[in-house]
Amino acid sequence: MFLSLTLFSLNRKKMNLKSERRGIHVDQSELLCKKGCGYYGNPAWQGFCSKCWREEYHKARQKQIQEDWELAERLQREEEEAYASSQSTQGAQSLTFSKFEEKKTNEKTRKVTTVKKFFTASSRTGAKKEIQEAKAPSPSINRQASVETDRVSKEFIEFLKTYQKPGQDIYKQCKLFLDTMNHKRNLSIEEQSECAQDFYQSVAEKLQTRWKVPPEKVEKAMDQIEKYIMTRQYKYVFCPETTDDEKKDLAVQKRIRALHWVTPQMLCVPVNEEIPEVSDMVVKAITDIIEMDSKRVPRDKLACITKCSKHIFNAIKVTKNEPASADDFLPTLIYIVLKGNPPRLQSNIQYITRFCNPSRLMTGEDGYYFTNLCCAVAFIEKLDAQSLNLSQEDFDRFMTGQTSPKKQESDSFSPDVCLGVKQMYKNLDLLSQLNERQERIVNEAKKLEKDLIDWTDGITKEVQDIVEKYPLEIKPKSQALAAIDSENVENDKLPPPLQPQVYAG
């Protein structure tokens, strides 16, 4: 009996922990590719890794091309059958009309053949065609290079000198790729991303197979290649006007601003910012995630995410006096993103997804931290009352700004907390009280206005009822009354009026 009660209490604790972390907890298996290849997935790739996503994308595209080709063939057969039936019914026609019909048939056949060629052609032509296109002069290549582009180009050339003959081939391949990309500005950003991913894969294979470069040098070379290429391509492929990246940035920024009231306790964040060392790490983490927008190379943006994540792990470790777990890391990362509100967050995530070396996103700590950041942003976009263990009524009031969660009282602060923090919470409490007072005044003023309107309407109605019940009748003006003695003709004979007499006593 005692054993069963113990098991029941343990299960209950587990259920409470799950309910406490629902909406925030993410199992580590959910971060991996849906296909089970062992690499990290990505929400931008629908849960697949870069490699599996490209395979699925190519399959879907080939299927679409095949369906379009079959549709073109079917349309051609229908036109030929319709033409044959019309030809049999019009056998006796003049020679001129027959030539006209023959010309019309040739024109239809040419159109159908053109449609077939259009659907069977791939979006990327062969290497020979790319070389021919690259030979055309590109005015954008001759533009005045910026200081940073100049510096990166010199560093890249110096780096390739250590590779001797393979370095020259790598530089030629990079120049050819940049020329090709300048001719493909009219392509969609997804197609440009696919070209970049193909180039990364092609160069990595050549480094390993043709030039026999050791694996550790291959990774360094790919980092330098990515830095050189993306520094030049940054302003063309980061948040392009043909996408809705900017719209997503504004939506996420607005969402984070609306969630300014979320506290660490609501997210179960195991970080105590009252500890000065932990507070400094939180500030550094926020600085790193904000600094990501200032970088131009995908690898540098990933480095900012990695530094931010390491500061988070250190803050949790100092708070708990034990190593942090994945269940502690994700809520804290969400809190850091809410507190920092990084600029152009979605654009940076999309840029890294499209143009970063895929091996970095699929494996290693950079890929792990980046996948967690994507999960954190997705959680913020879908955050609801249940995720924060709040009632829907409280959640709606917090989101609309009608009220805010109760702030920490100044008396409960530890003696080590600075006066500025205490004053800040006092001011927040005062603002909250003033806001409630203003709402009460506004409600009372509206009520008074309504009472005055009702009183005025009531008085007006009563006056109208009295006027209707007792109407006012205005009689004509009567003649003025004459004096009492006006008709007495003997007024002159009357004695004078009596005068008072004074007698001495």
Side-chain angles (χ1 to χ4, degrees), residues 277-499:
E277 186 179 358
V278 174
S279 179
D280 291 342
M281 291 177 183
V282 169
V283 172
K284 290 178 181 178
I286 293 173
T287 304
D288 289 333
I289 198 68
I290 292 175
E291 189 182 0
M292 174 179 63
D293 186 58
S294 64
K295 305 298 181 182
R296 301 180 70 175
V297 183
R299 181 172 61 89
D300 294 341
K301 292 181 182 291
L302 276 179
C304 292
I305 299 173
T306 301
K307 287 192 295 182
C308 169
S309 302
K310 288 184 176 179
H311 286 310
I312 290 174
F313 272 107
N314 291 333
I316 297 173
K317 184 179 179 180
V318 172
T319 302
K320 299 180 67 177
N321 290 324
E322 61 181 19
S325 65
D327 289 340
D328 296 329
F329 170 66
L330 184 58
T332 312
L333 179 61
I334 293 170
Y335 173 67
I336 293 297
V337 173
L338 288 175
K339 198 168 182 180
N341 197 359
R344 300 193 291 186
L345 184 56
Q346 281 288 2
S347 291
N348 282 287
I349 290 177
Q350 292 295 332
Y351 176 68
I352 295 172
T353 302
R354 292 164 182 159
F355 296 101
C356 184
N357 184 5
S359 62
R360 282 194 170 273
L361 298 183
M362 293 163 59
T363 57
E365 61 178 5
D366 289 342
Y368 174 77
Y369 295 139
F370 179 71
T371 304
N372 275 275
L373 177 62
C374 295
C375 292
V377 175
F379 174 82
I380 290 172
E381 292 175 340
K382 298 178 182 178
L383 189 141
D384 55 9
Q386 186 179 5
S387 304
L388 300 175
N389 295 329
L390 295 174
S391 64
Q392 189 62 42
E393 184 181 60
D394 290 341
F395 182 80
D396 293 338
R397 285 192 290 117
F398 294 157
M399 288 295 290
T400 55
Q402 295 179 2
T403 184
S404 59
K406 188 177 181 180
K407 302 296 181 182
Q408 190 173 8
E409 298 295 335
S410 59
D411 298 337
S412 62
F413 283 108
S414 64
D416 299 333
V417 179
C418 66
L419 296 175
V421 175
K422 294 181 180 180
Q423 187 63 40
M424 179 186 68
Y425 279 109
K426 287 182 180 179
N427 293 339
L428 288 174
D429 292 337
L430 181 60
L431 287 173
S432 179
Q433 295 173 9
L434 290 175
N435 187 27
E436 294 176 359
R437 183 179 177 185
Q438 183 184 10
E439 288 180 357
R440 288 199 304 270
I441 292 173
V442 170
N443 293 332
E444 292 295 332
K446 290 181 180 179
K447 183 179 178 182
L448 177 61
E449 182 182 9
K450 184 177 181 300
D451 293 342
L452 287 174
I453 294 174
D454 294 342
W455 179 79
T456 304
D457 294 341
I459 294 298
T460 304
K461 186 177 180 182
E462 289 181 6
V463 171
Q464 290 177 351
D465 292 341
I466 293 173
V467 169
E468 292 176 358
K469 187 175 181 180
Y470 304 103
L472 180 62
E473 295 181 2
I474 300 176
K475 296 181 179 179
K477 186 177 180 180
S478 58
Q479 295 181 354
L481 296 176
I484 297 176
D485 299 329
S486 60
E487 298 179 356
N488 193 347
V489 295
E490 297 179 353
N491 288 340
D492 297 337
K493 299 178 180 181
L494 290 177
L498 298 176
Q499 298 294 327

Side-chain angles (χ1 to χ4, degrees), residues 64-330:
Q64 184 65 36
I65 291 174
Q66 183 66 23
E67 291 177 355
D68 293 339
W69 188 78
E70 291 175 357
L71 176 62
E73 277 194 334
R74 183 168 60 83
L75 292 175
Q76 182 185 12
R77 285 197 304 270
E78 291 177 357
E79 285 189 6
E80 289 176 351
E81 290 173 0
Y83 175 72
S85 61
S86 63
Q87 189 70 19
S88 60
T89 56
Q90 297 177 359
Q93 288 185 345
S94 63
L95 182 61
T96 305
F97 189 72
S98 298
K99 288 182 179 180
F100 171 74
E101 287 294 328
E102 183 179 358
K103 183 178 179 182
K104 183 179 179 182
T105 305
N106 293 335
E107 184 69 18
K108 287 182 179 179
T109 307
R110 186 182 65 80
K111 288 181 179 180
V112 173
T113 306
T114 304
V115 171
K116 283 185 179 180
K117 289 180 180 179
F118 173 76
F119 284 118
T120 54
S122 174
S123 63
R124 299 191 316 273
T125 56
K128 183 177 179 181
K129 186 176 180 181
E130 288 186 355
I131 294 173
Q132 291 176 353
E133 290 178 352
K135 289 181 181 178
S138 176
S140 59
I141 290 294
N142 300 326
R143 69 184 184 279
Q144 184 67 27
S146 64
V147 177
E148 185 176 358
T149 305
D150 240 1
R151 179 180 56 81
V152 170
S153 300
K154 291 178 182 178
E155 291 177 358
F156 185 60
I157 293 172
E158 290 296 324
F159 172 79
L160 292 179
K161 287 180 180 179
T162 59
Y163 285 76
Q164 298 178 354
K165 181 64 170 64
Q168 297 177 5
D169 295 336
I170 292 173
Y171 185 74
K172 290 179 181 178
Q173 292 289 330
C174 292
K175 292 293 290 182
L176 179 61
F177 172 75
L178 290 174
D179 292 341
T180 304
M181 290 297 292
N182 285 320
H183 287 284
K184 293 184 176 181
R185 294 278 179 244
N186 57 339
L187 295 181
S188 66
I189 194 65
E190 285 76 16
E191 291 174 323
Q192 295 184 49
S193 169
E194 191 177 351
C195 292
Q197 299 296 328
D198 288 342
F199 175 73
Y200 289 146
Q201 184 178 359
S202 173
V203 174
E205 290 176 356
K206 288 180 181 178
L207 285 170
Q208 294 175 355
T209 57
R210 182 187 299 180
W211 298 317
K212 306 298 181 182
V213 178
E216 61 275 6
K217 282 194 171 185
V218 170
E219 185 176 354
K220 291 182 180 179
M222 292 305 300
D223 289 342
Q224 292 295 326
I225 290 170
E226 177 190 314
K227 183 177 181 180
Y228 173 69
I229 288 174
M230 297 317 302
T231 302
R232 289 179 169 272
Q233 295 292 313
Y234 177 78
K235 72 176 187 177
Y236 301 113
V237 296
F238 182 84
C239 191
E241 296 179 355
T242 56
T243 64
D244 58 347
D245 292 349
E246 186 176 0
K247 184 179 179 181
K248 291 180 180 178
D249 289 335
L250 295 175
V252 171
Q253 193 176 53
K254 184 178 179 181
R255 176 71 172 172
I256 292 176
R257 285 177 179 173
L259 294 170
H260 68 278
W261 49 268
V262 176
T263 62
Q265 292 76 22
M266 294 178 181
L267 296 170
C268 302
V269 175
V271 169
N272 185 6
E273 294 187 65
E274 294 180 4
I275 304 174
E277 186 179 358
V278 174
S279 179
D280 291 342
M281 291 177 183
V282 169
V283 172
K284 290 178 181 178
I286 293 173
T287 304
D288 289 333
I289 198 68
I290 292 175
E291 189 182 0
M292 174 179 63
D293 186 58
S294 64
K295 305 298 181 182
R296 301 180 70 175
V297 183
R299 181 172 61 89
D300 294 341
K301 292 181 182 291
L302 276 179
C304 292
I305 299 173
T306 301
K307 287 192 295 182
C308 169
S309 302
K310 288 184 176 179
H311 286 310
I312 290 174
F313 272 107
N314 291 333
I316 297 173
K317 184 179 179 180
V318 172
T319 302
K320 299 180 67 177
N321 290 324
E322 61 181 19
S325 65
D327 289 340
D328 296 329
F329 170 66
L330 184 58

